[in-house]
Amino acid sequence: MAITRRKEAAAETTPARKETRSSGGSGGGAAPSTRMRWIDRQRENIRNVMAELRKVTWPTREETRNLTIVVIGISAAIGTSLALIDIVLSSLYRMLNPS
């Protein structure tokens, strides 16, 4: 009984597809239908994207500024440490290989 209810609920939420078949061999009647289905899918995708964007919790200006400062600080620290390691290893290499 629960399976039947699930199937009924799924049938209610799933949009019905309209299938059109061309009666001729040229296929000329199917192009507008296919194009319209593609446009309808794109409209639905845009609606879904906009609905998801409404659910997003956007950071405040202050949070954005603070996190930007943190990212710049960490990048500078990593860059400085890599430069120091490079200087130390380069000087060590020059001392061991005088040629």
Side-chain angles (χ1 to χ4, degrees):
M1 186 153 163
I3 295 172
T4 306
R5 287 184 187 161
R6 285 187 203 143
K7 286 182 181 178
E8 289 172 0
E12 290 174 3
T13 59
T14 306
R17 289 188 177 201
K18 295 180 182 177
E19 293 188 24
T20 58
R21 295 185 184 227
S22 173
S23 59
S26 65
S33 175
T34 303
R35 189 176 308 133
M36 288 306 293
R37 277 190 267 158
W38 182 83
I39 291 172
D40 290 339
R41 283 195 313 261
Q42 297 312 311
R43 285 182 182 155
E44 185 65 26
N45 285 338
I46 290 170
R47 283 188 202 109
N48 289 338
V49 167
M50 292 179 73
E52 288 297 321
L53 285 175
R54 284 187 207 106
K55 296 176 188 177
V56 172
T57 304
W58 297 99
T60 63
R61 182 177 294 269
E62 185 178 337
E63 289 172 334
T64 303
R65 181 180 49 88
N66 291 339
L67 290 174
T68 301
I69 291 170
V70 167
V71 167
I72 291 171
I74 289 173
S75 298
I78 290 173
T80 303
S81 62
L82 287 175
L84 290 174
I85 291 170
D86 184 47
I87 291 169
V88 168
L89 291 177
S90 294
S91 62
L92 184 63
Y93 180 76
R94 274 189 238 116
M95 285 191 306
L96 294 176
N97 284 331
S99 56

